Amino acid sequence: MRGAKVSTTDPVATARPIPRAPWRASLALLGPAFVASIAYVDPGNVAANLTAGARYGYLLVWVLVLANAMAMLVQYQSAKLGIVTGRTLPELLAERMRPRARVLYWLQAEIVALATDLAEVVGGAIALGLLFRVPLPLGAMIVGGVSMALLAVQDHRTQQRFEAAIIGLLAVITIGFLAGLVVSPLSPPGIASGLVPHFGGPDTVLLAASMLGATVMPHAIYVHSALSRDRHRADPHTHVPPTAVARLLRGTRADVLIALGLAGLVNIGMLLLAASTLRGRQGTDTIEGAHSSIVEALGPLVGTAFAIGLLASGLASTAVGSYAGSTIMQGLLRRRVPVVVRRLVTLVPSVALLALGFDPTMSLVVSQVVLSFGIPFALVPLVRLASSRELVGAFAMSPWVKAAAWTSAGLVIVLNLALVWLTFSSGV
């Protein structure tokens, strides 16, 4: 398949509209986007959302709404690439690079994947400490062990089991993070005002950049193309009729809208909970401090539900992160490493940092800064490939969608560069 391109005379490239498939058929296509959506409710997002709500109330609700809309657009394009071409985003990039460039590209992607994994393992370890007073290094090893068990059930033949396990954890995350809203007094006027784009000073601009920039995760972009390809095209070399491709893409759009919509509600719910419960309280600049304030304000039951949601977030996100890292390595280096083995190897840095006493909150901050550098390397190629008629034929982005995609990519990149500069200039 090296260097293969889709001709404009290929049936896939000349697809025409077809009658909609029954809703049950579309329902059966759901799954891959739910796995990718875990990246949007990982411990890094928890920290950012709680900070925004605790410091500025409902002010930045609009940022999460905008970020979620952008995430839907980006994730659908990644899934589309996998379905239409039968190849993952890393594989498509490898076909267009010289060997040395492929290795260098893989190195930056690998560093970003490791940084993301660090935040996810640390978040799970913090949750175990909150629930059972488990020391952070031991908690990290437990999180790694459970994630290896999750990954052990995943392969091309059993992907739906993996998806079911991740969806189950997503349900726990949703309940755990939103349970407090049942007893927390929300302000409808405050929420309405937060939907109007505005800032409250330089600090809110920095925080908004962090929230928006951290939403579009590079590893989620890479992995969604693999998840959709593996689920819907077990043999990527087999020709898929255009009617089947169109049906798969309709199901994928529903998958993305539902999964990312749910993730967006969880994120917004966390900010609302922090705005109504943590506003003005001291010590909410860490996850542990925020949890303590939630317990104090809403009771131990809600605090326990929150900690369980955080644990589920760490477990699910680190499993998905390891899957993404394996996808990146296989696509760019053309070397397949068992994903469970990779999980074991990449766990070492997280455990080592925590064992050495590295501050867990600082780990989350540093990981987000490192992640920022990898976003352009994933977003720019994605938009170029997904809009190429030579590659995806009639399924290329329309001019309006292409403009929205480039605008989203440019906004995320600029805000992340600003975030990196402001982070370092402030002495972090």
Side-chain angles (χ1 to χ4, degrees), residues 177-196:
F177 287 154
L178 300 186
L181 294 178
V182 176
V183 295
S184 180
L186 299 179
S187 169
I191 297 172
S193 67
L195 292 173
V196 180

Side-chain angles (χ1 to χ4, degrees), residues 41 46 172-180 266 269-270 273 305-306 309-310 313:
V41 289
V46 174
V172 175
I173 293 168
T174 302
I175 295 171
F177 287 154
L178 300 186
V266 172
M270 282 190 282
L273 179 65
F306 176 84
L310 180 62
S313 170

